[in-house]
């Protein structure tokens, strides 16, 4: 498989450190608010990568943190802790909002068929691990204490800017208008490993450390959690493109200085989802969440489908019109899958299956080209193979795409059957002379509809149960070409 590696700026053959095994780390959400659908684009694409590696036969271990402390309002070391701001906004404690938004995040993930990583670790649960790393960095001369905080000394590195070739002087990280640069830093790019002093004294969560009562910086969390669970050699580290700098750059600086050798081989960054007016935001304008999509009548699968239709290394523009187009295409796709009806005893054509599957794997092997993988799915529906082969390919591809295709197709068929049955039952002559309002007649007609739906869903046991139930009550069902009528004894 070829994967674009942001660290080398090129597509590379993916070769894990240990044959057959993949260690994968994902930067998790900062749980101070709901995730917006931009955040979730990143998690959807990472989910496809995770699932495709499993599909390709790798034994994947995936770890994700939950950022519940230390992520300041600027990704550099300025501003207030986002969690504290969130807690104040809602008049709750930091841990209360962490719990609430962590649950909300996983509920969104479930709706979008994003698999929960094997290990999910809140940052507040690994304080000892960060302290251990920081102690070694200090002992080895990579860190210094100034003004009560511990800083990483970027001047000790041969190469600090891994993902971009910045000129230090051009860089104004975190130094936004109204935010003063931290005068404790020896070099502009240095970053905080441990805070004991901050302009914001009301930080809620603090721990004892060799440098005083304080809290970890955001970057050390991901290095610490990753190394704790995945060891000294990491295969893949993922995140949104905004994480590349300074977050991932700082993770590499501290992890490799701590370990004394290269740490992570492949860096995968998902580009942003933007709105027509620019950056997606949690504070301005319409806050785009999965719940908002649902309120507006979109199935979350439509959003996943929308994401898969574009490449993860291109930024994607969200608009309601784009969602409508995605919904129309998704529904049409599901309808085509629903119309597949293998004949009794039809078997899968193995050669046809293998040829069509190859198009799918070729697409994903080429730097996770999901839009071509979706095209491979359309190729299946057009192909000259039997319905059983098509159905089985849809099921196979959907292990990776996770678009709920067969489930949605089955639901569509059930809905159609129920509608047809209702129409038939409605047309059925009200034999037996009882009036329309007679509750038993209403029940008979309802049951005739349900029985027709059960038969169409091939649930003959249920159909027979309904027939027997009515027979016991003196109602005989009569199946005709036009539908089912009845006779009351
Ligand atoms: P956060 O909750 O802010 O820590 O971000 C969670 C994830 O979403 C990170 O991997 C970010 O890089 C990613 N992210 C943030 N904004 C966007 C966006 N507009 N589109 C795609 N991913 C994003
Ligand atoms: Zn991270």
């Amino acid at each position: 498989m070829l994967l674009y590696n942001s660290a080398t700026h090129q597509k590379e053959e993916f070769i894990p450190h240990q044959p057959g095994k993949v260690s994968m780390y994902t930067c998790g959400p900062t749980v101070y608010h709901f995730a917006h659908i931009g955040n979730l684009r990143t998690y959807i694409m990472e989910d496809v990568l995770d699932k495709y590696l499993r599909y390709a036969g790798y034994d994947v271990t995936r770890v994700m943190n939950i950022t519940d402390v230390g992520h300041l309002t600027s990704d550099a070391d300025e501003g207030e802790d986002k969690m504290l701001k969130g807690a104040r906004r809602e008049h709750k404690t930091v841990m209360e909002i962490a719990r609430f938004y962590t649950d909300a995040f996983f509920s969104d993930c479930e709706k979008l068929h994003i698999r929960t990583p094997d290990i999910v670790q809140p940052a507040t649960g690994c304080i000892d691990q960060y302290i251990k790393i920081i102690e070694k960095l200090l002992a080895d001369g990579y860190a210094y204490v100034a003004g009560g905080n511990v800083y990483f000394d970027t001047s000790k590195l041969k190469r600090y800017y891994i993902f971009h070739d910045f000129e230090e002087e051009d860089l104004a990280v975190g130094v936004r208008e109204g935010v003063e640069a931290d005068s404790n830093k020896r070099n502009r790019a240095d970053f905080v490993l441990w805070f004991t002093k901050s302009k914001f004294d009301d930080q809620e969560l603090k721990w004892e450390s060799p440098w005083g009562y304080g809290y970890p910086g955001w970057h050390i969390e991901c290095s610490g959690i990753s190394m704790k669970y995945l060891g000294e050699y990491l295969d893949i580290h993922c995140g949104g493109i905004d994480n590349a700098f300074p977050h991932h750059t700082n993770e590499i600086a501290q992890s490799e200085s701590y370990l004394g050798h290269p740490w992570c081989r492949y860096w995968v960054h998902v580009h942003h989802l933007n709105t027509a007016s620019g950056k997606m935001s949690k504070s301005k304008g319409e806050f785009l969440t999965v719940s908002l999509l649902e309120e507006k009548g979109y199935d979350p699968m439509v959003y996943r489908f929308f994401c898969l239709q574009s490449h993860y290394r291109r930024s994607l523009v969200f608009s309601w019109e784009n969602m409508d187009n995605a919904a129309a295409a998704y529904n049409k796709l599901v309808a085509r899958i629903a119309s597949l009806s293998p004949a009794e005893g039809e078997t899968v054509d193995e050669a046809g299956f293998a040829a069509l599957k190859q198009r799918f794997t070729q697409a994903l092997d080429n730097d996770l080209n999901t839009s071509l993988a979706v095209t491979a799915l359309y190729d299946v529906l057009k192909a000259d193979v039997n319905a059983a082969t098509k159905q089985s390919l849809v099921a196979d591809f959907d292990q990776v795409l996770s678009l709920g295709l067969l489930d949605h197709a089955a639901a569509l068929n059930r809905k159609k059957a129920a509608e047809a049955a209702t129409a038939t039952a409605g047309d059925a002559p009200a034999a037996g002379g009882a009036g329309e309002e007679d509750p038993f007649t209403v029940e008979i007609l309802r049951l005739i509809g349900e029985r027709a739906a059960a038969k169409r869903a091939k649930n003959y046991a249920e159909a027979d149960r309904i027939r027997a139930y009515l027979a016991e009550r003196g109602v005989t069902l009569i199946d005709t070409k036009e539908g089912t009528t009845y006779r009351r004894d």
Side-chain angles (χ1 to χ4, degrees), residues 27-32 36 38-43 46 67 71 82 218 239-243 270-274 280 282:
C27 287
T30 310
V31 283
Y32 69 109
H36 59 52
N39 303 129
L40 291 160
R41 177 194 192 198
T42 292
Y43 294 107
E46 292 169 350
T67 304
H71 191 173
K82 289 188 180 191
W218 172 39
I241 189 68
D242 59 308
N243 283 163
V270 180
H271 286 240
H272 274 186
L273 177 79
N274 300 312
M280 192 143 294
K282 295 189 187 184

Side-chain angles (χ1 to χ4, degrees), residues 416-431:
K416 274 194 200 154
E419 279 165 9
T422 310
T424 309
D427 290 345

Side-chain angles (χ1 to χ4, degrees), residues 304-356:
R304 186 169 172 115
F305 186 60
F306 171 66
C307 290
L308 297 192
Q309 282 176 308
S310 76
H311 194 261
Y312 76 92
R313 274 194 304 116
R314 282 181 194 280
S315 52
L316 180 61
V317 176
F318 175 85
S319 70
W320 294 110
E321 194 188 344
N322 286 346
M323 279 301 281
D324 287 338
N325 291 337
Y330 179 79
N331 291 338
K332 217 166 142 188
L333 177 64
V334 166
R336 286 175 70 182
I337 294 167
S339 70
L340 297 172
S341 64
E344 198 81 24
E346 195 170 281
T347 55
V348 173
D349 160 5
E350 297 298 339
F353 185 98
L356 288 158

Side-chain angles (χ1 to χ4, degrees), residues 25-28 65 67 218-219 221-223 237-238 243 247-248 251:
Y25 184 83
T26 297
C27 287
N65 69 304
T67 304
W218 172 39
H219 317 298
E221 297 173 2
C222 287
S223 290
H237 195 310
C238 328
N243 283 163
H247 185 48
H248 291 164
E251 280 189 50

Side-chain angles (χ1 to χ4, degrees), residues 286-298:
E286 201 166 32
F287 181 5
L288 294 164
T289 59
V290 173
S291 307
L292 183 72
L293 295 186
E294 287 180 308
E295 272 166 36
K296 297 213 180 218
Y298 298 97

Side-chain angles (χ1 to χ4, degrees), residues 109-253:
C109 287
E110 203 179 318
K111 288 177 186 165
L112 291 166
H113 293 185
I114 297 169
R115 180 183 175 279
T116 302
D118 304 288
I119 295 164
V120 174
Q121 175 64 64
T124 46
C126 287
I127 302 296
D128 290 352
Q129 171 80 1
Y130 318 139
I131 291 177
K132 182 180 86 179
I133 297 170
I134 298 168
E135 279 182 316
K136 183 161 189 296
L137 290 173
L138 276 164
D140 294 350
Y142 286 107
Y144 58 93
V145 178
N149 296 334
V150 186
Y151 294 86
F152 187 91
D153 186 349
T154 52
S155 71
K156 293 284 153 63
L157 302 176
K158 280 205 200 81
R159 184 169 170 237
Y160 168 65
Y161 299 107
I162 302 294
F163 301 110
H164 310 83
D165 299 313
F166 286 122
E167 285 298 324
E168 177 126 349
E169 286 310 305
D170 295 343
L171 207 77
V173 178
V175 185
R176 296 174 304 168
E177 264 176 65
V179 179
E180 282 168 47
D182 181 345
S183 59
N184 293 320
K185 290 184 183 179
R186 289 185 191 161
N187 313 286
R188 192 175 205 172
D190 291 358
F191 55 93
V192 178
L193 297 165
W194 187 268
F195 289 95
T196 69
K197 290 275 183 311
S198 142
K199 276 174 280 181
F200 304 97
D201 283 339
D202 48 355
Q203 179 76 14
E204 243 177 67
L205 300 175
K206 291 190 186 185
W207 294 265
E208 286 302 341
S209 81
W211 319 286
Y213 197 49
Y215 60 101
W218 172 39
H219 317 298
I220 195 74
E221 297 173 2
C222 287
S223 290
I225 293 171
S226 165
M227 287 192 268
K228 173 172 172 171
Y229 293 106
L230 297 169
E232 294 192 6
Y233 295 94
L234 180 62
D235 291 314
I236 302 175
H237 195 310
C238 328
I241 189 68
D242 59 308
N243 283 163
F245 187 81
H247 185 48
H248 291 164
T249 305
N250 292 348
E251 280 189 50
I252 295 171

